Amino acid sequence: MQLSEEQKNFFQTFGYLAIPQLFSEAETEQIIDGFEWSIQNCGGGKEHDGTSRTMFGGPIEHSPEMCALLDHPSIKGLIGGVLGEDFNYCSGDGNYYTGDTNWHPDGNWGQLFAAKIAFYLDPLTRKAGALHVIPGSHRPDHFIRRERIDVNNSMALFGLPPSEFPGSIVIESNPGDIAIFNHDLYHASFGGGSRRRMFTMNCTRHAKTPEDLETARQYLSIHSPGGYNNKTGAGMFYPTIIDTADDERLMHLRQPIEIHDQLFPHLAREVVQPG
């Protein structure tokens, strides 16, 4: 897919886009199967008992089929339309969710530097785990940021539960739908079951200026395996996504690998010398 100018304007203004049925039914089934294999075999899913969230890193990086999401024309068109065609892929997280997720942004960059692509693998409604967002809250001059309002304390402040915060909207979804949002956007979820399946891809602009490179270093010092002290065996990414990559995919991997190896050299992939 290619984003229209209207969609690009919507994302810039409101901080998010929801794309219904980006994937076909057959593609959606394959993605769900791939996610389940990954979380069961690589993400602690076998121990999930519903009492707390189960999360693991790099959910698309553990099998060739999931790695291929980074090659999917619709995914590349969606991310490229927001961040530029040379965007950086910077890992993500996979989850069995339990309970509410309070209001929060994933960053405070003050600019469109990073975006999250969210895959929800179960039908979700307003009171059953669907994504809530506060449109425009990615902007530094939004009243929540300007007045430093604690959205999660809205019952005490305004007599309204956080799930009903004025101006927020709900993006109900079905498997195959995709949401993408600016890392600075306030988002949350409320209600739902104790095994809600969801995974993300985090992406940034390709850094081309000294200022962007410094922002990329700040970003990866936090949002990366090294930032979470997580050993992948290959530095920034799990090996499969690198080992199965062609040149087009590597375009989205090289800069994060280079920066991550500089920041966390002890986690860099070892190169075995011949002989």
Side-chain angles (χ1 to χ4, degrees):
M1 68 172 295
Q2 297 296 322
L3 294 184
S4 66
E5 287 304 311
E6 291 83 1
Q7 288 174 313
K8 293 178 182 178
N9 290 338
F10 189 100
F11 186 89
Q12 290 285 347
T13 301
F14 300 111
Y16 74 96
L17 274 176
I19 310 294
Q21 296 303 291
L22 184 72
F23 297 107
S24 69
E25 184 176 345
E27 288 175 323
T28 301
E29 290 178 359
Q30 185 180 42
I31 291 168
I32 291 173
D33 288 345
F35 171 81
E36 284 291 348
W37 183 91
S38 295
I39 196 169
Q40 289 291 315
N41 290 279
C42 309
K46 293 177 180 178
E47 288 74 48
H48 182 79
D49 63 5
T51 60
S52 62
R53 172 188 182 185
T54 294
M55 181 179 71
F56 72 111
I60 75 164
E61 299 170 27
H62 300 280
S63 71
E65 294 78 15
M66 290 295 280
C67 293
L69 281 174
L70 189 52
D71 311 323
H72 195 289
S74 293
I75 288 294
K76 291 200 297 184
L78 175 62
I79 303 170
V82 168
L83 295 171
E85 294 181 0
D86 57 351
F87 65 86
N88 290 334
Y89 164 71
C90 296
S91 193
D93 58 80
N95 305 272
Y96 285 156
Y97 269 107
T98 296
D100 296 348
T101 303
N102 289 335
W103 286 108
H104 66 284
D106 292 326
N108 293 287
W109 306 104
Q111 58 175 311
L112 174 53
F113 183 75
K116 173 174 282 187
I117 302 85
F119 299 71
Y120 297 93
L121 304 183
D122 297 290
L124 299 175
T125 61
R126 170 181 288 274
K127 295 183 178 180
L131 175 68
H132 291 55
V133 301
I134 300 176
S137 58
H138 61 299
R139 294 174 171 264
D141 61 349
H142 190 274
F143 72 88
I144 288 175
R145 294 179 175 277
R146 188 178 64 247
E147 299 177 25
R148 299 182 179 180
I149 293 173
D150 180 359
V151 189
N152 293 305
N153 197 34
S154 64
M155 180 60 78
L157 291 172
F158 310 117
L160 293 168
S163 60
E164 302 299 327
F165 190 82
S168 65
I169 68 164
V170 182
I171 304 173
E172 296 186 334
S173 62
N174 288 298
D177 299 349
I178 295 296
I180 182 171
F181 50 92
N182 189 312
H183 261 222
D184 289 9
L185 187 75
Y186 275 79
H187 57 284
S189 65
F190 302 94
S194 59
R195 192 176 175 273
R196 303 196 311 277
R197 299 173 297 179
M198 178 265 200
F199 71 93
T200 67
M201 296 169 59
N202 291 322
C203 298
T204 72
R205 293 200 319 262
H206 191 91
K208 298 175 183 177
T209 66
E211 292 78 14
D212 273 359
L213 280 169
E214 179 56 31
T215 302
R217 288 177 63 86
Q218 293 176 18
Y219 179 91
L220 290 172
S221 71
I222 304 168
H223 299 285
S224 71
Y228 299 123
N229 197 29
N230 180 27
K231 295 181 180 180
T232 66
M236 177 65 200
F237 304 113
Y238 288 90
T240 304
I241 198 168
I242 302 171
D243 295 342
T244 61
D246 59 13
D247 286 342
E248 287 193 23
R249 186 193 296 172
L250 285 172
M251 175 180 69
H252 305 298
L253 305 179
R254 286 193 182 98
Q255 190 171 70
I257 290 172
E258 292 171 359
I259 295 173
H260 190 269
D261 285 357
Q262 293 169 7
L263 291 171
F264 307 103
H266 61 292
L267 297 178
R269 188 174 194 175
E270 292 186 10
V271 178
V272 178
Q273 299 297 333

